[in-house]
Amino acid sequence: MNNVLVGSIDGEAIDGDSPPFAYYETIAGGAGAARGWPGGDALQVHMTNTLNTPVEALEHAYPFRVEAYAVRGGSGGAGLFPGGDGVVRRYVFERPARVTLLTERRRLAPWGLAGGGPGEVGVNTLVRADGQRVALPAKHTFDVGPGDRLEVQTPGGGGWGNA
C-alpha cells in the first residue's frame, strides 16, 4: 500500500481566503506475477473501493498539482512471467501543508516466486524549493512549503519462474 495524506497545518486556514483542507490518496503499485500470467502495471493491489482521481480535479480543489504521473518502467521483477511495474507520482505544493506518508516495501523488495526476481523497492523523495533533496522513510510526517516537490515511486511486483 502507498498512501499520501496532505492537509493544512494544524487545521488552520492556509491564507486569508482559503479554508483548511485534507486529502487522502492511495497510489497504485506493481502486482506480482503468478504461474501463467505476468503481474499488472500500476494497480491497486489488495485495495478496493478506491478512485484514481484525475489530476485536473486535484489541481482544481487543492493547493498542489501533480507534475508527473507515469508507469515506473523496469520496476517489476524479472521472470518467465515478469512482475508488474509501479508508478511515479510527483506533487508540487503551492502553499504550506503537512504531508504524511504511509508506504510499504521501501526496505524489503516484493519477492519473486519459483525463481522469479524481486520487484524494485519503493522510493520517497522530497525536493525542497531550494533544490535540497531529502530521502524519506516509509512512514513519515513532514511540512512542505511553496515550490517543494514530493516524488513517490511505488514498488514493482515480484516475477514468477526463471526467465
Side-chain angles (χ1 to χ4, degrees):
M1 289 300 303
N2 299 276
N3 302 271
V4 176
L5 297 79
V6 183
S8 48
I9 297 172
D10 296 327
E12 296 296 321
I14 51 178
D15 64 27
D17 298 321
S18 300
F21 72 96
Y23 178 71
Y24 189 115
E25 174 176 44
T26 60
I27 306 175
R35 179 182 11 204
W37 68 84
D41 297 338
L43 293 174
Q44 297 285 14
V45 179
H46 302 300
M47 181 68 171
T48 61
N49 199 27
T50 60
L51 177 67
N52 186 8
T53 304
V55 296
E56 296 84 0
L58 298 178
E59 294 169 358
H60 178 73
Y62 298 100
F64 59 86
R65 67 184 189 280
V66 177
E67 184 178 65
Y69 188 27
V71 173
R72 184 183 175 202
S75 60
L80 177 63
F81 298 100
D85 289 331
V87 302
V88 175
R89 193 155 168 102
R90 187 178 318 117
Y91 306 84
V92 181
F93 300 95
E94 298 169 354
R95 297 193 175 114
R98 181 153 295 148
V99 178
T100 297
L101 297 175
L102 298 168
T103 59
E104 297 292 339
R105 297 289 177 193
R106 283 352 191 223
R107 287 183 296 158
L108 300 174
W111 61 87
L113 294 173
E120 293 290 322
V121 296
V123 178
N124 302 325
T125 306
L126 175 63
V127 181
R128 294 286 184 191
D130 65 6
Q132 175 193 10
R133 297 181 67 82
V134 181
L136 300 172
K139 314 271 191 298
H140 192 58
T141 298
F142 54 98
D143 292 340
V144 294
D148 288 347
R149 288 172 161 73
L150 169 64
E151 183 172 279
V152 177
Q153 297 180 42
T154 65
W160 188 93
N162 292 315

